Amino acid sequence: MVNADIEIETLAEFDQAVARGSLGGYRIQSVNLLERTFALLSADTSATVFLGCAMEPDAAAKVRADGALVFPPVPDLPFNPYRGLLYTADELFAGLPQGYEATPDALAYAWFQETMSDGDVLSSMLRSVHDDAISDALDEHLAGARVVGVMGGHAMARGAADYRGAAELGRTLARSGLTVATGGGPGAMEAANLGAYLAPAPDGMLPQALELLAKAPSFVPSVSDWARAAFAVRELWPAGGDSVGIPTWFYGHEPPNAFAGHIAKYFANATREDGLLARSNAGVVFLPGAAGTVQEIFDNATPNYYASRGEPTPMVLVDRRHWTEQLPAWPLLRALARGRAMESRIALVDSVAEVPAALAAMS
């Protein structure tokens, strides 16, 4: 297992390693080294791995001669498969003034649509390398954090009462010291990330934000207008709190939301969903949703049932009528849990106001 201490992900970390005398054995991940030719020519780079690092030809020849393994940058890709850090909303939505179609997020989705079924092993390899790099960055970011997942439907509209409730939930959870993690998209996911973003702000900021967002209630018909409303809120309160969004280009017609401080965006939806649930070590809250949320309930219930990840994590389903009458997932979940360790780790509540107490009781 590679020690994360030997990963170099910024130019500052590179310079520190050079100052210590050797680059031997390091994994240098997506660092622009075009202005570090002298350092590369001078330093020991035996057993070094360079992942997507731009460098001058003579520097590249020298490090290869040392025995370094070099994975060069891939030209004309709308994403970096070797990235060492999570995305930010500013990065994914760069170019938004020209319309969402011009942003890196939209361009990566367009590339995915073009290549996902062409059978080209290079395309599938680049997607896999990218997703593995994102998982590595996500683990580094969440190390030591108590993470609570908030799941719910993408159709929840800004301006609706349930959207406000999800935002208040995200704010309460963040203020209690938990790291809020969502699927990173619109609707309930955005609301929970919004709440975490406004956790450091005075309580009066949330009504102002909701009023601004209600002017573009959905990402349909215009993702551009929807995203611009979110950035207007961020301009009103730029010192937002952190949370995590974990969206996917598999459902790229649903854009990521701008309120997650760190975004782990994947091409493979299965990797994204399993990773989100597995990292929610402080529990998962399931707001009312449809097929996707039902799937997430039982994706989370399965390792709890078999105890394959150790102690079962708390699961809280919100809205008794929704989960017992409209989509009766609760009776099945309760039947599965009966007599097992997970039985004391599931709860059904009527409203988001009851969630923090339910989580605390099961922790």
Side-chain angles (χ1 to χ4, degrees), residues 55-292:
M55 62 183 84
E56 296 292 350
D58 52 345
K62 183 267 180 186
V63 302
R64 285 191 175 98
D66 277 355
L69 186 60
V70 179
F71 293 82
V74 182
D76 303 322
L77 271 184
F79 65 95
N80 177 6
Y82 306 111
R83 62 180 301 117
L85 304 172
L86 297 177
Y87 291 101
T88 65
D90 288 331
E91 180 181 1
L92 289 174
F93 285 102
L96 183 62
Q98 288 73 51
Y100 172 71
E101 296 74 16
T103 65
D105 186 65
L107 294 173
Y109 178 47
W111 177 88
F112 183 40
Q113 286 184 300
E114 291 172 3
T115 62
M116 64 187 298
S117 59
D118 64 6
D120 184 353
V121 67
L122 176 61
S123 298
S124 61
M125 183 194 74
L126 291 171
R127 293 194 296 269
S128 296
V129 169
H130 169 273
D131 285 2
D132 191 64
I134 288 294
S135 290
D136 181 64
L138 184 59
D139 285 336
E140 291 174 4
H141 177 70
L142 293 177
R146 294 177 63 232
V147 182
V148 59
V150 180
M151 312 296 163
H154 68 269
M156 187 181 289
R158 294 166 169 175
D162 51 0
Y163 184 97
R164 178 177 185 134
E168 290 172 344
L169 173 64
R171 184 176 64 181
T172 300
L173 294 172
R175 286 178 174 176
S176 73
L178 295 167
T179 296
V180 173
T182 79
M189 297 171 280
E190 180 188 57
N193 287 129
L194 168 66
Y197 182 86
L198 293 178
D203 287 354
M205 273 300 305
L206 182 56
Q208 293 182 55
L210 294 173
E211 185 177 351
L212 277 173
L213 292 172
K215 296 176 182 178
S218 172
F219 64 94
V220 178
S222 173
V223 175
S224 300
D225 291 345
W226 176 85
R228 287 175 185 136
F231 280 97
V233 170
R234 289 181 31 161
E235 288 176 13
L236 190 66
W237 182 263
D242 192 28
S243 65
V244 173
I246 308 181
T248 174
W249 279 296
F250 186 81
Y251 297 130
H253 60 286
E254 297 177 15
N257 76 71
F259 296 113
H262 290 82
I263 300 174
K265 190 151 192 180
Y266 288 88
F267 288 104
N269 184 52
T271 304
R272 165 250 191 173
E273 285 195 346
D274 184 68
L276 170 55
L277 295 167
R279 291 174 176 88
S280 296
N281 53 22
V284 186
V285 180
F286 298 92
L287 300 174

Side-chain angles (χ1 to χ4, degrees), residues 312 314-316 344-347 357-363:
M315 299 176 64
V316 182
S344 62
R345 298 296 183 91
I346 62 171
L359 283 173
M362 293 187 290
S363 296

Side-chain angles (χ1 to χ4, degrees), residues 299-315:
D299 279 347
N300 196 55
T302 300
N304 280 351
Y305 180 88
Y306 290 111
S308 56
R309 293 180 185 144
E311 280 289 309
T313 51
M315 299 176 64

Side-chain angles (χ1 to χ4, degrees), residues 305 330-344 346:
Y305 180 88
W330 172 252
L332 177 53
L333 180 63
R334 189 171 57 176
L336 279 171
R338 190 172 296 121
R340 307 187 78 88
M342 68 179 286
E343 187 172 15
S344 62
I346 62 171

